[in-house]
């Protein structure tokens, strides 16, 4: 399997569970990921967390920060540059 196929498989899975990108309702560090996923035609749910909801949400995240990319497998990617590399490869 090529690295491109492997990246797409991680992001799309078997197609039954959609990728989720969770971030604030700003461009910030996730906008590049949104754009790369869109260009790669990888479907994803663009989930935004409102700032007033962040205090309650923060302890539920892996490192107390966003963005989080939740893969169809349930694994969570917590660094936007890693997300960008995956999307760029797919
Ligand atoms: N290395 C991370 C940094 C993420 C990061 O700095 N997130 C900030 C927003 S850009 C955050 O969640 N701040 C809220 C907090 O720390 O409570 C990435 O680039 O994905």
């Amino acid at each position: 399997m090529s690295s491109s196929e492997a990246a797409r498989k991680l992001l799309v899975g078997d197609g039954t569970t959609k990728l989720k990108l969770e971030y604030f309702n700003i461009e910030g560090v996730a906008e590049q990921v949104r754009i790369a996923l869109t260009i790669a035609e990888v479907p994803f749910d663009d989930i935004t967390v409102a700032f007033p909801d962040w205090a309650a949400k923060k302890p539920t995240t892996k490192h107390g920060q966003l963005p989080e990319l939740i893969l169809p497998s349930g694994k969570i990617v917590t660094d936007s540059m890693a997300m960008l590399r995956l999307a760029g490869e797919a």
Side-chain angles (χ1 to χ4, degrees), residues 13-90:
D14 64 8
T16 57
T17 306
K18 209 200 264 186
L19 184 69
K20 291 185 187 66
L21 177 62
E22 294 194 0
Y23 192 55
F24 304 105
N25 188 21
I26 57 172
E27 293 182 1
V29 297
E31 188 67 3
Q32 57 191 350
V33 182
R34 295 181 179 120
I35 291 168
L37 289 170
T38 302
I39 289 170
E41 298 183 347
V42 172
F44 68 103
D45 287 328
D46 190 8
I47 296 166
T48 53
V49 176
F51 288 122
D53 299 333
W54 175 233
K57 169 87 177 168
K58 185 176 169 85
T60 72
T61 63
K62 229 171 158 179
H63 300 300
Q65 290 197 321
L66 294 176
E68 285 193 338
L69 186 70
I70 298 106
L71 302 179
S73 66
K75 289 208 166 109
I76 300 176
V77 182
T78 57
D79 184 80
S80 58
M81 290 308 288
M83 297 171 198
L84 188 58
R85 281 198 296 275
L86 262 179
E89 190 72 41

